[in-house]
């Protein structure tokens, strides 16, 4: 089941009580008699069978030209401030391991992804401060096109590179427009869900949609129907610029605590589709003829 929440619906206190988590751990096996695993194999087996963090969290952040400089700055500051907040650190300690692994990258076109924060362990104020400082000190950039599918496809193999195994694996996608470049977004989403990865969304809807920015009405519906996926996946929508940072903090608290919002939405498969998941590609085709 997927879930939806608008900012202000979720109370911070609600996420601090903890939540159900699903383990993706699988034991190391071999069919070769007398086989002795080498050091690398033993390390992989230990990682898969002994989760050491509560969640492996990939923050995938839109930096396409439809995002104005003010939004990009608010987005950066929002993540940095959320990670060092008292509520975040309390939620962190509520988990069975009391720590998470996090990586942060920016994306635009299907071939344009840049890792800002490689995998980092956050287990308290000092490590949280280090990650937050690294986020805010990186120069802001912008780039062409919007490929949510490219971001998801880039994020999936990052979990294999993470030295820390989590009870949950989550990709957190933020953006202000639909996919208009690369593979269809539903194909990438379904591939991630098949691997046991949950995708949550942060649709940014603080501007009126316009022809110049190629934004759409009801971007939150698009994220619900076409982007998010996996057990307990949810959307937190930003419709007010003043609520930007609060929305980011709310979403991170839910993800860290392993909880979902209180307001359910019928899964896309169980109702008539509200949004054409190829709408971004259609807009681009109509505008540029390619």
């Amino acid at each position: 089941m997927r879930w939806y929440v608008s900012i202000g619906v979720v109370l911070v206190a609600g996420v601090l009580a903890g939540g159900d988590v699903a383990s993706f751990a699988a034991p190391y096996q071999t069919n070769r008699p007398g086989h002795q695993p080498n050091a690398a194999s033993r390390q992989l087996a230990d990682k898969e069978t002994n989760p050491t963090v509560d969640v492996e969290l990939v923050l995938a952040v839109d930096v396409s030209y439809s995002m104005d400089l003010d939004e990009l700055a608010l987005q950066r500051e929002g993540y940095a401030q959320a990670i060092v907040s008292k509520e975040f650190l309390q939620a962190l300690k509520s988990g069975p391991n009391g720590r998470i692994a996090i990586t942060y990258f920016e994306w635009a076109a299907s071939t344009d992804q840049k890792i800002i924060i490689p995998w980092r362990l956050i287990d308290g104020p000092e490590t949280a401060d280090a990650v937050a400082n690294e986020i805010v000190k990186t120069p802001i950039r912008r780039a062409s096109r919007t490929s949510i599918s490219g971001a998801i496809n880039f994020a999936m193999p990052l979990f294999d590179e993470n030295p820390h195994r989590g009870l949950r694996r989550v990709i957190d996608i933020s953006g202000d427009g639909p996919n208009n470049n690369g593979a269809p977004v539903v194909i990438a989403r379904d591939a991630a869900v098949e691997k046991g990865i949950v995708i949550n969304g942060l649709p940014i809807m603080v501007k009126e949609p316009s022809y110049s920015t190629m934004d759409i009405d009801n971007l939150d519906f698009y994220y619900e129907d076409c982007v998010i996926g996996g057990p307990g996946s949810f959307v937190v929508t930003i419709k007010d610029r003043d609520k930007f940072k609060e929305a980011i903090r709310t979403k991170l608290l839910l993800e860290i605590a392993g909880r979902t919002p209180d307001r359910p939405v019928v899964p896309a498969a169980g109702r008539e589709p509200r949004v054409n998941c190829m709408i971004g590609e259609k807009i681009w085709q109509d505008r540029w003829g390619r």
Side-chain angles (χ1 to χ4, degrees):
M1 172 156 307
R2 298 176 188 168
W3 302 81
Y4 168 86
V5 63
S6 293
I7 189 61
V9 172
V10 180
L11 296 177
V12 168
V15 303
L16 302 181
D20 294 336
V21 294
S23 173
F24 298 104
Y28 176 86
Q29 296 177 336
T30 180
N31 294 323
R32 288 181 287 168
H35 171 74
Q36 296 296 322
N38 58 28
S41 297
R42 288 194 299 271
Q43 185 177 17
L44 176 62
D46 184 66
K47 174 186 172 183
E48 292 300 308
T49 56
N50 296 290
T52 57
V53 296
D54 297 320
V55 59
E56 300 173 69
L57 181 59
V58 176
L59 301 177
V61 178
D62 181 9
V63 293
S64 61
Y65 277 113
S66 58
M67 295 278 289
D68 63 44
L69 291 174
D70 185 45
E71 288 173 336
L72 292 174
L74 285 170
Q75 189 169 233
R76 283 276 190 90
E77 293 169 10
Y79 280 108
Q81 291 179 14
I83 288 170
V84 298
S85 69
K86 178 179 67 175
E87 296 88 353
F88 179 91
L89 294 173
Q90 288 176 339
L92 181 72
K93 290 306 179 183
S94 73
N97 291 294
R99 55 184 185 170
I100 66 168
I102 194 169
T103 184
Y104 180 110
F105 75 87
E106 296 174 338
W107 58 272
S110 61
T111 57
D112 187 341
Q113 299 89 25
K114 181 180 179 181
I115 293 178
I116 305 301
I117 309 291
W119 283 110
R120 295 281 191 270
L121 187 71
I122 299 182
D123 58 2
E126 290 185 3
T127 48
D129 284 345
V131 169
N133 289 335
E134 203 166 343
I135 290 174
V136 296
K137 76 178 183 182
T138 305
I140 290 175
R141 73 183 186 100
R142 301 168 79 192
S144 299
R145 305 297 295 268
T146 299
S147 183
I148 300 173
S149 60
I152 294 172
N153 288 330
F154 181 81
M156 282 191 282
L158 294 180
F159 292 107
D160 296 329
E161 302 170 11
N162 182 15
H164 306 283
R165 186 67 165 104
L167 297 170
R168 293 172 286 121
R169 292 180 170 183
V170 177
I171 300 173
D172 182 332
I173 298 274
S174 67
D176 71 341
N179 194 79
N180 64 34
N181 179 243
V185 66
V186 293
I187 294 177
R189 177 200 64 192
D190 292 348
V193 171
E194 189 174 336
K195 292 177 179 290
I197 298 168
V198 171
I199 302 175
N200 296 326
L202 185 77
I204 300 167
M205 305 170 64
V206 298
K207 297 192 300 284
E208 288 294 325
S210 71
Y211 180 81
S212 62
T213 59
M214 300 184 65
D215 296 333
I216 62 171
D217 292 316
N218 300 320
L219 183 65
D220 47 352
F221 292 171
Y222 177 87
Y223 264 70
E224 289 174 24
D225 290 0
C226 311
V227 178
I228 69 171
S233 58
F234 64 86
V235 163
V236 173
T237 303
I238 305 177
K239 294 185 177 181
D240 185 339
R241 196 176 292 263
D242 292 338
K243 301 292 186 180
F244 214 110
K245 296 177 182 179
E246 183 183 345
I248 291 174
R249 185 173 67 251
T250 296
K251 179 173 55 64
L252 286 182
L253 289 173
L254 289 168
E255 288 165 338
I256 298 312
R259 294 179 63 86
T260 55
D262 295 329
R263 180 181 173 188
V265 64
V266 177
R271 54 174 162 74
E272 288 295 320
R274 297 168 296 178
V275 179
N276 177 2
C277 290
M278 296 292 290
I279 189 172
E281 290 86 346
K282 182 179 185 306
I283 293 172
W284 185 271
Q285 177 68 28
D286 291 345
R287 182 174 178 180
W288 299 106
R290 56 184 172 86

